[in-house]
Amino acid sequence: MQSYLSHNFLLRAKITIHLLFHCCCRSLSLRRPTMPKQIKVNPAERKVLNVLAARKAKFDEESVEKSKLAGYAQIGGSTMRKAVARLSKEGLIVQVPKSVSITKAGMDHADPDAIEMPISNDAHQAAIKANLKEKEVNLVEFLQDGFSKDKKEVAEAIGMEMNSTWRKMIAKLAKENIIEHSGKTIRLHKDMFPIIPRPEE
């Protein structure tokens, strides 16, 4: 009888220890921290993230104006719009009509020290011009100082007539926030001056 009780006690003890061990392991697995989801980003998207992270870490800026972001990242046009749209969709940034801010997940994907902040508008304007046609580049360069000029004078200077080709060209550039025009005058858009502001008239 005593032998039976001893065997029964040992069996119950083993079952109890096994259950306790199983519960402890389950508890530890539940407490295990989850690793942040890694999202693949292309070079343009990484530049945007790095700029936003750098502005936040080094200058305590919670958000950056979109026009300045393009200059800091040295990306323009559709490339910038696509990068911002995808990063926003992935939850790495938050955008409002005129500015962009980086999320915690975005900070996890960024390297604030990987980018050098530009000190002039040259790199941004060069990136824009790289995607333009020859006459469009000539127009941008003629308006480089940021001041308003007479449309007729500008057209003559770059070897164009004020015909439908001219009108289509300035309409296209205006739509892309490269130039702005009103009445008889034309000048570069303020978005072309993200680092050093466009001169006031």
Side-chain angles (χ1 to χ4, degrees):
M1 183 69 178
Q2 185 177 1
S3 175
Y4 172 77
L5 291 174
S6 297
H7 177 75
N8 193 34
F9 175 80
L10 288 172
L11 182 61
R12 289 186 178 183
K14 287 180 179 180
I15 292 172
T16 302
I17 292 171
H18 177 76
L19 289 172
L20 286 172
F21 178 77
H22 180 73
C23 288
C24 287
C25 289
R26 180 178 175 81
S27 176
L28 288 172
S29 66
L30 290 174
R31 294 178 186 175
R32 188 180 299 162
T34 56
M35 295 297 290
K37 178 185 176 184
Q38 288 298 310
I39 299 167
K40 286 187 177 181
V41 294
N42 64 35
E45 293 162 353
R46 186 162 301 284
K47 275 188 176 183
V48 171
L49 286 176
N50 289 344
V51 165
L52 291 171
R55 300 305 298 181
K56 184 172 184 178
K58 299 176 182 179
F59 303 97
D60 200 28
E61 291 183 4
E62 290 298 326
S63 63
V64 177
E65 290 180 21
K66 288 182 179 179
S67 59
K68 290 186 177 180
L69 177 60
Y72 292 144
Q74 299 177 24
I75 304 169
S78 60
T79 304
M80 171 59 72
R81 290 191 292 274
K82 288 178 182 177
V84 169
R86 179 168 183 267
L87 293 173
S88 179
K89 181 180 179 181
E90 296 289 354
L92 301 180
I93 64 171
V94 175
Q95 61 170 326
V96 293
K98 292 186 178 181
S99 64
V100 180
S101 58
I102 191 167
T103 64
K104 184 179 182 303
M107 289 295 289
D108 291 338
H109 285 73
D111 181 2
D113 298 318
I115 195 160
E116 185 177 340
M117 291 291 118
I119 58 174
S120 75
N121 300 310
D122 294 347
H124 174 66
Q125 292 182 3
I128 297 292
K129 289 188 291 185
N131 296 311
L132 300 180
K133 297 177 181 178
E134 183 180 357
K135 288 296 183 182
E136 295 170 341
V137 171
N138 293 340
L139 175 61
V140 170
E141 290 180 345
F142 193 79
L143 300 173
Q144 199 87 24
D145 61 8
F147 290 104
S148 295
K149 291 180 173 58
D150 181 78
K151 285 182 180 177
K152 186 176 181 180
E153 174 193 340
V154 174
E156 290 177 354
I158 64 173
M160 292 187 71
E161 295 181 4
M162 295 183 68
N163 52 21
S164 60
T165 304
W166 163 264
R167 289 190 292 273
K168 287 179 182 177
M169 182 180 75
I170 64 174
K172 170 181 174 282
L173 296 178
K175 185 177 180 180
E176 296 177 356
N177 288 347
I178 295 175
I179 61 105
E180 59 185 35
H181 61 100
S182 177
K184 294 183 178 181
T185 62
I186 185 171
R187 70 190 301 200
L188 285 188
H189 194 278
K190 64 181 180 61
D191 286 359
M192 294 291 285
F193 301 84
I195 312 302
I196 301 173
R198 184 180 65 178
E200 295 294 332
E201 294 186 326

